[in-house]
Amino acid sequence: MNQIKKQIENITGADRVHENESMANHTSFKAGGCADLLVEPADGSQLRDVLQLLAAGGTPHMVLGNGSNVLVRDGGYRGVIVKIGDAFNYIRICDENGNESADGTFIVCGAGTLMSRVAKAAASASLTGFEFASGIPGSIGGAVFMNAGAYDGETKNILKAAHLISADGSRQFTMTADELDMGYRHTILHETGDIVTEVVLKLERGKEEDIRALMAELADRRNCKQPVQYPSAGSFFKRPEGYFAGKLVQDAGCKGLTVGGAQVSQLHSGFVINTGDATATDIIQLKELVQARVMDKFGVMLEPEVRIIGEDPIETGDSAADPLDEYELAYDLHTHTTYSHGKGSIEDNVRVALEKGLEYVAISDHGPGHLFYGVNRSDFDNIRNDIDKMSIKYQSINVRNSIEANIIHASSSGRNSNGLDISPDEFGQFDFVIAGFHFGCLRCSSIRNWLWSHGFKAGEESLRRSNTKMICDALKLNDIAILTHPGDKGPFDISEIARTCAETDTLIEINGRHGHLDTEEIKEAARVEGLKFVISSDAHTPDAVGSYRTALQRAIDAGLDLKRIVNIRHR
C-alpha cells in the first residue's frame, strides 16, 4: 500500500491522500473502521488518473460521495476510498445549450454537491421540481447512483443527463435517465461501477414563494416523522413489493430495539440510528436481528438500502488488555426514562445502575420546555414519589432526582428570565439541576442551529456568539450542577464556556452518547484551570445506564488528567 500511496501522491499531491482514515468521519452513520487510504482528487483529470492507476494495479477501491448511504465494517476497508469532494461541488443555472443563464431551467451541478444545496439554488432561481429532494442528506451524484426519491418524487424524473467516468478511468461519456435504467433505488451503475461526475437536471419555472413553502412543508413533515437529530443513513431497508419496510419492522416488534449504540428509531421504524456510540458491528447486528424477526413473522426478507463494505474486526481474545478496564464509573448523573423519551422506567434504570456497581444514579428527564419530549410539569411530583420509593426499595444505591433543563435565551422578565425552561422557584423540587442546549425549544435559535448542523453555515460566527452568550448567561444566573454535552447541535466557543463553568463551579460533561465534548473540545476546555469534568451516559435505554468507555477513551485520547473527572476511579 505504501507504493500505491506514493503513486497516488504523484497524481494528487500528498495533502490529498490520507492513511488509515476513519470512515466514521466520512459517512452519515458516524461509525465504522478505517480505510487504508482515502484520496480526494482535485478535479476530473486527477480522478481519471487515480482510477486508471487503481484499475491497472488491481487495487481494491471504492468511490464515495457524501457517505450518506454507506457503512464501513469495524475492521476497516482494505484498499483505497476515492472521495468525490469539494472539487465536484458547484452549481450553475443554464439554458438548454448549457450556457449559464439566469432565466435557464436547467441546473448543472458537480456530483459532490449536496442535494440540500441544489434545492436552495433551485428555489432562488424559481425552479420547481426538486423540492422532494431538499431534505435528503446526500450528494447529487449519490442521488443518481441510487435513484434517490422521497414524497412521490424520484431523481429519474428530473434527470436530463449524467456525465460519467468509466470505472477504470479510461473514458468519459454521458447517459440519460433511460440509459441508466433507473429503477427503485437502483441504476446500472451498481453493476458497471462507472462514476457520476456531473449532473444536468431539467426543472420547470415556478414561483419562488411557492417553492420555498413546499420545501418548508416537506421539512416539517420530515422533522416530525424522522429522527433527523441522530446519525443514520436515512431509510435503512428497501421497500419490499407490496409492503412498507418501516411498518414490517414495527409490526415485528422491533421499534426501539437496541444493540449497543444502534437503535431502531422510536420515531420511524424504517430508520436505524446511532444513538451516540454505535459501532458498525452494532448496526450490522441490529440489521440482522430485525431481518430475522421480520422473516419469522411475515416471511419477508428485508434488503438494506445501505451499502455495507469492508471487513469485520479481528477478534483479539481476552489476552489483549484494555486500559479502560483499569477504571470504573462511580456514579451516573444523566439518565432518561419514559417520563420524557427514554425507553425504561425509573426502576429499570436503578436496577441496571445497581448491577453495574454504581454508588448512585440520577434521573434527569428533559425539561418541560422541549416541544417533543419534555417532561410534563404535572409529573414532577410523580417522579419524586417514584424516586422516593426506589430509595426505600434499593437501599444499597442512592437515587437522585434531577432534571435536564433546556437552555434558552434569557427573557427580560417572567418564568424564563433565568435562561432555562424551569424557573428558580422550581429548583427546589430537584436534588440538583443539570442543563444543556437542545433543538425543539422556543427562544433558543433551534432552526438556525439545526440548519447549521445540516451544513448551512451562513452566519456561523454570529450564531456562535449568540449560542455562547445563551449558555454563559444560564450558567451565571442559575446553580447548575452539570452543563450537558457542550459543543453538540451548534457552534459554540468552548473556551469561554469552560471558563464560565469554572467560575460558576459547574461540571462540564463528556457525554458518552452525543460525542461531545469531543477530543479537541476536551483539549480546549482542559486549558482552563480549576475546571472539573464529569462523564455521563445520557442513557435513553436502561442497558446504557453507567456506560462510560467511549467518553473515557476520548478523555484519554485528549491527554486529560483523569483526576479532573469527578466520577472516574481506579478499580
Side-chain angles (χ1 to χ4, degrees):
M1 195 56 69
N2 282 338
Q3 183 178 358
I4 286 293
K5 180 185 178 186
K6 291 177 181 177
Q7 291 174 320
I8 295 175
E9 287 176 345
N10 288 337
I11 296 171
T12 66
D15 60 333
R16 291 188 169 271
V17 183
H18 308 281
E19 194 169 9
N20 293 323
E21 181 72 8
S22 172
M23 295 310 296
N25 297 328
H26 299 277
T27 56
S28 61
F29 255 128
K30 304 300 182 187
C34 295
D36 287 344
L37 292 176
L38 182 141
V39 56
E40 190 171 340
D43 53 36
S45 176
Q46 287 188 6
L47 175 60
R48 291 194 302 274
D49 290 345
V50 168
L51 291 174
Q52 288 180 32
L53 171 68
L54 297 175
T59 304
H61 62 280
M62 175 184 166
V63 177
L64 182 76
N66 193 50
S68 59
N69 211 40
V70 174
L71 178 66
V72 181
R73 291 184 176 91
D74 290 318
Y77 183 78
R78 303 285 76 79
V80 180
I81 297 291
V82 183
K83 185 169 183 178
I84 304 297
D86 288 343
F88 300 87
N89 179 10
Y90 58 83
I91 299 172
R92 299 193 300 271
I93 308 298
C94 298
D95 61 22
E96 62 182 346
N97 298 315
N99 300 313
E100 289 196 50
S101 169
D103 298 323
T105 57
F106 294 84
I107 292 185
V108 178
C109 46
T113 311
L114 290 178
M115 282 185 276
S116 56
R117 185 166 174 250
V118 177
K120 288 177 65 178
S124 296
S126 299
L127 296 177
T128 185
F130 199 78
E131 294 90 336
F132 75 90
S134 59
I136 298 177
S139 65
I140 193 67
V144 172
F145 181 84
M146 292 294 295
N147 185 26
Y151 301 114
D152 299 322
E154 289 185 286
T155 305
K156 70 177 182 179
N157 297 331
I158 55 173
L159 180 68
K160 180 188 179 187
H163 301 299
L164 303 107
I165 293 176
S166 61
D168 61 3
S170 64
R171 64 190 181 97
Q172 299 179 74
F173 56 102
T174 300
M175 299 183 77
T176 65
D178 287 341
E179 291 168 333
L180 286 165
D181 191 22
M182 302 179 82
Y184 176 67
R185 304 300 178 262
H186 184 270
T187 64
I188 63 169
L189 301 179
H190 288 227
E191 286 72 50
T192 66
D194 298 328
I195 297 101
V196 179
T197 58
E198 186 176 84
V199 172
V200 182
L201 305 174
K202 174 66 173 77
L203 303 179
E204 303 293 336
R205 279 276 148 212
K207 293 182 179 180
E208 181 176 352
E209 58 268 28
D210 293 340
I211 296 167
R212 293 193 183 278
L214 179 54
M215 287 169 57
E217 178 187 338
L218 296 180
D220 286 343
R221 289 169 61 183
R222 183 181 295 271
N223 294 341
C224 289
K225 296 180 180 180
Q226 298 180 9
V228 296
Q229 70 271 38
Y230 293 101
S232 76
S235 297
F236 194 92
F237 295 102
K238 294 181 180 179
R239 184 178 67 242
E241 187 173 353
Y243 298 92
F244 291 100
K247 189 173 190 311
L248 287 173
V249 174
Q250 180 171 324
D251 291 348
C254 296
K255 187 174 186 177
L257 186 64
T258 300
V259 173
Q263 182 184 81
V264 176
S265 169
Q266 298 264 29
L267 194 60
H268 190 312
S269 296
F271 284 66
V272 171
I273 61 174
N274 179 351
T275 63
D277 57 357
T279 63
T281 301
D282 292 338
I283 296 166
I284 292 168
Q285 289 178 349
L286 180 58
K287 170 191 78 75
E288 293 171 348
L289 183 56
V290 170
Q291 286 174 313
R293 289 192 180 184
V294 171
M295 186 66 182
D296 286 344
K297 187 161 186 176
F298 301 106
V300 177
M301 175 53 70
L302 292 176
E303 180 183 353
E305 284 190 21
V306 179
R307 300 174 68 196
I308 300 174
I309 64 171
E311 300 183 355
D312 289 324
I314 298 173
E315 295 291 338
T316 58
D318 295 335
S319 60
D322 188 338
L324 296 181
D325 290 336
E326 299 177 17
Y327 301 94
E328 64 181 2
L329 199 70
Y331 47 86
D332 191 351
L333 303 181
H334 187 177
T335 76
H336 294 278
T337 73
T338 50
Y339 276 109
S340 58
H341 69 313
K343 283 273 303 168
S345 66
I346 290 175
E347 185 165 12
D348 290 333
N349 285 13
V350 173
R351 284 175 175 169
V352 172
L354 192 60
E355 290 169 2
K356 293 185 177 181
L358 300 188
E359 291 179 4
Y360 60 87
V361 64
I363 306 303
S364 46
D365 281 312
H366 284 279
H370 200 290
L371 299 176
F372 304 111
Y373 40 78
V375 64
N376 291 322
R377 281 187 163 84
S378 60
D379 279 327
F380 283 179
D381 288 340
N382 295 331
I383 294 172
R384 167 58 74 183
N385 290 336
D386 286 352
I387 288 175
D388 288 344
K389 291 176 184 176
M390 294 303 101
S391 297
I392 296 172
K393 186 173 182 179
Y394 300 98
Q395 295 188 18
S396 58
I397 185 172
N398 291 316
V399 187
R400 304 295 177 88
N401 182 23
S402 182
I403 191 167
E404 188 182 15
N406 295 291
I407 294 176
I408 58 180
H409 291 291
S411 58
S412 57
S413 62
R415 169 179 274 170
N416 305 120
S417 60
N418 60 335
L420 296 179
D421 64 340
I422 61 171
S423 68
D425 291 342
E426 292 173 316
F427 266 60
Q429 300 185 50
F430 308 97
D431 296 326
F432 59 88
V433 171
I434 67 177
F437 169 72
H438 303 87
F439 301 139
C441 297
L442 300 176
R443 298 187 302 279
C444 66
S445 306
S446 278
I447 295 176
R448 286 182 67 198
N449 281 290
W450 184 89
L451 291 172
W452 179 89
S453 68
H454 286 73
F456 299 92
K457 303 296 184 181
E460 179 174 356
E461 284 308 311
S462 65
L463 184 59
R464 186 189 310 278
R465 290 191 297 271
S466 175
N467 285 344
T468 302
K469 184 178 186 302
M470 176 177 64
I471 297 288
C472 292
D473 285 348
L475 291 169
K476 294 172 183 176
L477 291 168
N478 302 279
D479 182 13
I480 295 172
I482 299 172
L483 177 64
T484 62
H485 47 71
D488 188 40
K489 297 182 172 64
F492 301 89
D493 185 333
I494 294 298
S495 295
E496 184 174 346
I497 289 172
R499 287 192 295 270
T500 305
C501 282
E503 292 167 4
T504 58
D505 198 25
T506 303
L507 298 172
I508 193 165
E509 181 186 69
I510 306 173
N511 186 293
R513 181 169 177 267
H514 283 288
H516 292 276
L517 299 167
D518 62 25
T519 302
E520 292 304 314
E521 291 164 345
I522 294 171
K523 290 179 181 178
E524 192 71 26
R527 295 189 177 98
V528 178
E529 292 186 9
L531 179 66
K532 295 291 186 180
F533 297 79
V534 63
I535 283 177
S536 301
S537 69
D538 194 0
H540 284 63
T541 57
D543 62 292
V545 171
S547 298
Y548 69 95
R549 297 173 71 87
T550 301
L552 180 58
Q553 185 64 64
R554 291 202 306 273
I556 293 172
D557 292 344
L560 180 66
D561 180 355
L562 300 188
K563 293 178 182 178
R564 298 176 69 178
I565 305 176
V566 299
N567 60 336
I568 285 290
R569 64 190 178 194
H570 277 281
R571 291 186 182 276

